[in-house]
Amino acid sequence: MKKEKIVIRGRKELHGKVKVSGSKNAALPIIFASILSGDLELHNVPELLDIETASKLLEYMGFYVERGDGILKVQELSVKTETPYELVNRMRASILVLGPLLARYGKAKVSMPGGCAIGTRPVDLHLKALSKLGADLRVDHGFIVGEAKGGLRGAEITFDFPTVGGTENAVMAAVLAKGKTVIRNAAKEPEIVDLIKALKLAGAEIEGEGTDTIEIRGVEGLSPILYRVMPDRIEAGTFLSAVAVAGGEIVVEDFPYETLEIVIDKFREAGLKVEQISERKVLVKKVDRLKATNVVTQPYPGFPTDMQAQFMAAMCFAEGTSVIEETIFENRMMHALELKRLGAKIHVNGTTAVVEGVEKLIGAKVNATDLRASASLVIAGLGAENTTEVYKVFHLDRGYEKLDKKLSNLGADIERVEIYEEEREEV
Ligand code: UD1
């Protein structure tokens, strides 16, 4: 893979219009739901590394995948129910093939997943739920091996924690299980609602999406899935952060307003002007220096953990001291160390960061440590003096469609530069 860095010469205001891409976290489970239907046509699919990984995974398993112009088509050919370490290790969401494989084929062998290094991120809750549905699961040489002789059966599942991926896996498995499944303490994230909408259009019988109790009546089979993915709420929120730091006034199109209420509230509390001008369009304007604002990450509808790093970047420049608490992942403060290289005053104690706003940051070389951390560093660079260079850009490319290009179109001085052999990527 070509190695690149992002070079930002900061302190340019943002102006103009930008359109939010399709949601990565909604697209991935729907793509894997093609295992249930054998046939999928998905629209508004973002051009991302994680989507490429998902496509390769399906191809490896014997599906025909076609991609282009935001449309992804999947057709079942001759399926094998195994996934290799090399692909699963790149993306934790690969675990989402487990439920569909067990439901449709009664067996699966899936490598234990990798993905962002933001904590230990076990998959025990996924496995517990699938066992309840009658799967016989064991871990063998780094693989999860599962069998459901005679098929899955509906069951009562109560999650210890409202896990997003666990809920998605359980829903997909239950869609083809015999009888009724009730999932309690289910996650309520909008991406799960999007997955369920796609499944229902293909004939699944599901109620309660977006609440903490989801009921599913198993059906014999699904018809082809034809769906348009929702816009990415985290990308949309990232543009709020970008204006909060760089200043200016932009219009964001395809903005999933109803899914971002708490994020909008927090930015407004900090003094950013966010005005809904039509159902899916907002005007974002920075009027004054931002005021320090506290956030605590929570499962939806709380403040999303995937916006924590970008919000912290904005708070680095705010007037006063903010407290940012991460409650979802135990190791999701790595961006704080990198932000400090730019001169941010942040004190991290466990999963809490105390951010003392400063008048200015000064550009430096920084390392992206995970997907959302990479966005937070790009945003900090937009507000920093001199030049900021963000390394390990592949993290950004996993989950943001052309973020640098979109920011450049808005007037940021940002470019992607290839790294040559003699330049070390570690900084
Ligand atoms: C999804 C999102 C990710 C987001 C996260 C929380 C996708 C592809 N990814 O990840 O961007 O940050 O939701 O909103 O949609 N846990 C367990 N055991 C399990 C499962 C989870 O202990 O079996 C823990 C995790 O370690 C973590 C917490 O539960 O601390 C939340 O994880 P979960 O909601 O499952 O997140 P993901 O589905 O992995």
Side-chain angles (χ1 to χ4, degrees):
M1 201 178 7
K2 188 163 80 170
K3 283 191 176 164
E4 292 172 325
K5 62 183 174 182
I6 288 182
V7 180
I8 310 149
R9 285 163 287 268
R11 305 199 62 85
K12 299 263 186 313
E13 284 195 351
L14 304 181
H15 289 277
K17 257 195 303 197
V18 65
K19 190 162 179 266
V20 175
S21 299
S23 159
K24 162 179 97 72
N25 286 355
L28 288 173
I30 302 175
I31 291 171
F32 292 136
S34 64
I35 299 171
L36 296 169
S37 65
D39 193 328
L40 164 90
E41 181 174 322
L42 195 58
H43 291 236
N44 202 27
V45 179
E47 188 75 33
L48 303 171
L49 218 51
D50 274 10
I51 300 292
E52 196 180 310
T53 304
S55 307
K56 284 191 178 149
L57 201 57
L58 285 172
E59 277 167 353
Y60 176 92
M61 290 194 290
F63 290 82
Y64 169 74
V65 183
E66 192 184 302
R67 258 187 337 136
D69 290 336
I71 300 175
L72 187 141
K73 293 182 185 173
V74 182
Q75 281 282 334
E76 173 188 88
L77 297 174
S78 147
V79 174
K80 62 171 179 262
T81 55
E82 280 186 38
T83 63
Y85 169 80
E86 294 70 31
L87 288 174
V88 175
N89 186 45
R90 284 189 211 160
M91 182 178 74
R92 178 179 159 84
S94 311
I95 187 71
L96 296 177
V97 302
L98 188 59
L101 283 177
L102 288 166
R104 181 88 195 278
Y105 300 101
K107 59 181 181 162
K109 186 176 173 193
V110 179
S111 176
M112 291 288 268
C116 278
I118 55 177
T120 48
R121 301 186 85 176
V123 290
D124 56 319
L125 303 176
H126 296 240
L127 302 188
K128 258 195 199 166
L130 296 172
S131 306
K132 279 268 170 88
L133 292 168
D136 193 5
L137 296 157
R138 65 194 158 85
V139 177
D140 186 13
H141 290 89
F143 282 85
I144 301 162
V145 184
E147 247 187 308
K149 287 208 181 94
L152 297 175
R153 296 176 309 275
E156 302 253 332
I157 298 165
T158 303
F159 279 113
D160 295 347
F161 179 86
T163 155
V164 174
T167 302
E168 291 166 345
N169 236 336
V171 166
M172 288 192 280
V175 158
L176 297 186
K178 284 190 199 81
K180 182 176 162 187
T181 298
V182 181
I183 305 174
R184 298 206 168 80
N185 202 20
K188 301 192 276 259
E189 268 66 6
E191 292 77 13
I192 299 173
V193 176
D194 218 39
L195 164 69
I196 293 178
K197 276 189 191 163
L199 290 169
K200 281 167 88 163
L201 283 173
E205 292 186 14
I206 310 174
E207 278 170 36
E209 62 271 26
T211 75
D212 55 15
T213 306
I214 302 176
E215 290 192 14
I216 301 135
R217 250 175 222 290
V219 293
E220 289 281 322
L222 293 183
S223 44
I225 300 174
L226 173 62
Y227 196 68
R228 183 180 173 81
V229 181
M230 65 178 280
D232 196 306
R233 65 189 168 107
I234 304 302
E235 185 196 335
T238 301
F239 286 119
L240 299 186
S241 259
V243 177
V245 167
E249 177 177 337
I250 67 168
V251 171
V252 189
E253 296 177 338
D254 240 359
F255 191 98
Y257 194 86
E258 67 290 349
T259 66
L260 272 166
E261 274 179 19
I262 189 151
V263 174
I264 295 168
D265 281 356
K266 283 291 166 185
F267 275 109
R268 281 187 180 144
E269 197 181 321
L272 190 71
K273 192 173 162 208
V274 184
E275 193 188 317
Q276 188 174 19
I277 46 182
S278 68
E279 199 196 336
R280 284 243 180 277
K281 232 186 238 182
V282 300
L283 178 104
V284 190
K285 185 176 179 183
K286 185 171 178 182
V287 196
D288 251 323
R289 186 174 174 197
L290 257 53
K291 294 187 290 289
T293 304
N294 301 337
V295 300
V296 181
T297 64
Q298 296 284 354
Y300 191 83
F303 193 91
T305 171
D306 285 353
M307 272 302 299
Q308 182 257 105
Q310 303 89 312
F311 195 80
M312 188 184 295
M315 288 304 101
C316 289
F317 296 89
E319 192 178 347
T321 301
S322 40
V323 179
I324 297 178
E325 198 187 333
E326 171 60 55
T327 73
I328 309 292
F329 293 108
E330 75 271 23
N331 189 24
R332 204 174 202 180
M333 287 287 171
M334 288 171 300
H335 44 280
L337 271 180
E338 297 299 308
L339 289 168
K340 282 165 84 166
R341 294 166 73 102
L342 302 174
K345 283 199 180 154
I346 308 173
H347 178 74
V348 177
N349 186 359
T351 53
T352 301
V354 177
V355 186
E356 200 186 312
V358 293
E359 294 272 348
K360 63 177 182 186
L361 298 186
I362 310 274
K365 294 184 178 194
V366 286
N367 252 326
T369 49
D370 63 64
L371 167 53
R372 305 303 168 186
S374 61
S376 102
L377 296 172
V378 167
I379 288 169
L382 295 177
E385 287 184 359
N386 304 338
T387 305
T388 300
E389 296 185 17
V390 182
Y391 287 74
K392 303 222 166 127
V393 171
F394 64 89
H395 285 296
L396 190 76
D397 296 338
R398 282 193 50 204
Y400 283 94
E401 186 178 53
K402 305 187 181 84
L403 184 65
D404 42 326
K405 194 88 199 291
K406 288 184 178 184
L407 290 169
S408 155
N409 288 342
L410 290 170
D413 186 346
I414 177 169
E415 61 176 336
R416 208 172 255 264
V417 177
E418 199 167 335
I419 301 175
Y420 297 102
E421 282 308 310
E422 55 279 14
E423 187 174 3
R424 285 176 60 227
E425 209 190 353
E426 308 287 335
V427 291

